């Protein structure tokens, strides 16, 4: 069996030893290579920022296994006829939970006022309890669900929204257009963990940004284009959105002259909310190869029609 590792050199340094070791532990005899004649390749481990764009010659390949959680860069590739999976690994999930819960607690507790307090103001005003701070999670996939459950475990009343109806114990789950408005209405903290599709681009426009409680916090570790940037800046200036913590952007790195950098009510983090962890990602890749060889359903198979 031949596995083509089609990703930048920095990724290869991480997986060069991990992937063969994981294959060996699973009892799979395979060669992991950086280059190969397309007709000899059985599986492609792929990073969407790689140079490979034409999958037509890979007539023998049984699946393309993405290293990224987001597949918007590849899902529309007409030459890709092989099954495509996205990455959902334990390390990625745990990292996202830590980022989201950390920033939700930061805004809930009003920590910025104490961390940066040049006037040395003494205002002994305790924050409300989590039970009094409604949180809305937009997106209830693997990452959104994990974050929503973690926040619910801390006592926050969490409303989750997804394109299709979900049932998750301990969460209020809504769906559809009317459900989106209901989910946003009165929320004091909104977290976006939706995939980027034609239906979700600019989902948070001026009308929807007007629905949360005045002064609400917005946290976006999902995809930059989910938010209409001009609408968000206007909502921040009007005080409708009290603070935005943004980890993802339409253009990355975020241009130095972008107004987000200098805005006093915007926190920019450089796409660090979470990342694929090679040690756990290698296990997911190997498990999918095992499944394909055994004729079992692949994990995290992408639905081309939905785009995720």
């Amino acid at each position: 069996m031949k596995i083509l590792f089609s990703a930048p050199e920095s990724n290869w340094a991480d997986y060069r030893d991990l992937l063969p070791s994981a294959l060996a532990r699973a009892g799979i005899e395979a060669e992991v290579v950086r280059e190969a004649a397309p007709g000899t390749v059985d599986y492609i481990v792929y990073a969407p920022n790689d140079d490979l764009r034409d999958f037509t010659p890979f007539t023998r390949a049984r699946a393309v296994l993405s290293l990224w959680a987001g597949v918007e860069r590849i899902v529309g590739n007409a030459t890709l006829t092989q099954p495509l999976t996205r990455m959902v690994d334990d390390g990625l999930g745990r990292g996202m939970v830590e980022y989201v819960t950390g920033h939700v607690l930061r805004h809930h507790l009003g920590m910025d006022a104490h961390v940066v307090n040049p006037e040395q103001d003494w205002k002994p005003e305790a924050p409300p309890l989590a039970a009094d701070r409604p949180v809305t999670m937009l997106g209830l996939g693997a990452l959104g669900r994990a974050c929503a459950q973690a926040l619910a475990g801390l006592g926050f009343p969490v409303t989750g929204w997804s394109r299709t109806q979900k049932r998750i114990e301990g969460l209020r789950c809504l769906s559809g257009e009317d459900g989106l408005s209901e989910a946003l209405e009165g929320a004091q903290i909104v977290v976006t963990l939706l995939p980027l599709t034609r239906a979700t681009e600019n989902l948070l426009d001026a009308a929807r940004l007007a629905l949360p409680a005045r002064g609400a916090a917005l946290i976006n570790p999902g995809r930059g284009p989910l938010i209409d940037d001009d609408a968000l800046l206007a909502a921040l200036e009007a005080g409708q959105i009290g603070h935005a913590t943004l980890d993802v952007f339409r253009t990355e790195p975020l241009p130095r002259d972008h107004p987000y950098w200098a805005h006093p009510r915007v926190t920019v983090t450089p796409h660090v909310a979470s990342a694929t962890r090679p040690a756990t990602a290698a296990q997911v890749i190997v498990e999918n190869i095992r499944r394909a060889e055994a004729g079992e359903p692949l994990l995290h198979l992408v639905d081309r029609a939905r785009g995720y």
Side-chain angles (χ1 to χ4, degrees):
M1 184 189 304
K2 189 167 290 186
I3 300 169
L4 177 64
F5 191 89
S6 186
E9 190 63 30
S10 58
N11 291 122
W12 177 236
D14 292 331
Y15 288 90
R16 179 173 45 220
D17 298 324
L18 282 172
L19 198 49
S21 296
L23 287 161
R25 287 195 300 272
I28 299 173
E29 294 185 9
E31 181 185 13
V32 184
V33 299
R34 293 285 280 148
E35 296 181 0
T40 67
V41 172
D42 296 286
Y43 296 93
I44 303 173
V45 176
Y46 184 72
N49 60 342
D50 189 63
D51 293 333
L52 175 59
R53 294 291 181 270
D54 185 4
F55 293 87
T56 305
F58 294 92
T59 54
R60 178 170 161 168
R62 301 190 61 186
V64 174
L65 312 172
S66 178
L67 290 171
W68 291 12
V71 293
E72 61 269 14
R73 291 197 189 185
I74 183 178
V75 71
N77 188 325
T79 72
L80 178 61
T81 58
Q82 300 88 347
L84 171 67
T85 65
R86 61 190 183 89
M87 178 53 64
V88 179
D89 74 290
D90 183 60
L92 179 71
R94 284 187 284 126
M96 186 61 77
V97 167
E98 291 171 10
Y99 180 95
V100 168
T101 55
H103 282 281
V104 165
L105 286 170
R106 167 197 168 196
H107 292 301
H108 167 61
L109 297 173
M111 294 174 68
D112 289 9
H114 306 295
V115 173
V116 181
N117 187 9
E119 301 301 323
Q120 300 178 344
D121 288 334
W122 183 269
K123 295 181 178 179
E125 300 171 358
L129 294 175
D132 299 317
R133 183 84 70 185
V135 176
T136 290
M137 178 68 63
L138 300 182
L140 291 173
L143 296 179
R145 176 189 298 240
C147 292
Q149 290 176 319
L151 293 171
L154 291 171
F156 291 97
V158 179
T159 296
W161 180 85
S162 55
R163 189 185 69 85
T164 57
Q165 185 64 41
K166 302 284 179 68
R167 298 185 185 280
I168 304 172
E169 185 177 355
L171 304 181
R172 175 182 179 232
C173 298
L174 302 173
S175 63
E177 185 68 23
D178 292 340
L180 178 57
S181 297
E182 187 177 349
L184 289 170
E185 186 75 42
Q188 293 186 24
I189 299 177
V190 177
V191 184
T192 60
L193 273 171
L194 288 160
L196 177 60
T197 67
R198 287 190 296 271
T200 62
E201 186 169 2
N202 292 323
L203 187 78
L204 289 181
D205 56 12
R208 294 191 178 110
L209 288 171
L211 295 174
R214 183 169 178 82
L218 173 64
I219 302 169
N220 184 23
R223 290 290 178 265
L226 297 174
I227 298 173
D228 180 327
D229 292 321
D230 290 338
L232 175 55
L233 287 166
L236 286 162
E237 289 303 313
Q240 168 58 21
I241 299 298
H243 197 101
T245 295
L246 308 174
D247 186 61
V248 285
F249 308 91
R250 292 174 187 272
T251 302
E252 295 185 3
L254 185 66
R256 291 185 178 274
D257 61 351
H258 197 286
Y260 283 152
W261 281 115
H263 201 291
R265 290 188 295 281
V266 174
T267 298
V268 171
T269 60
H271 206 142
V272 294
S274 192
T276 301
R277 266 57 176 190
T280 50
Q283 297 172 24
V284 175
I285 292 166
V286 170
E287 173 59 14
N288 259 339
I289 292 173
R290 186 202 67 76
R291 284 170 170 262
E293 292 298 303
E296 299 175 10
L298 294 174
L299 298 172
H300 320 306
L301 187 65
V302 173
D303 184 324
R304 305 297 177 86
R306 293 182 180 180
Y308 58 91

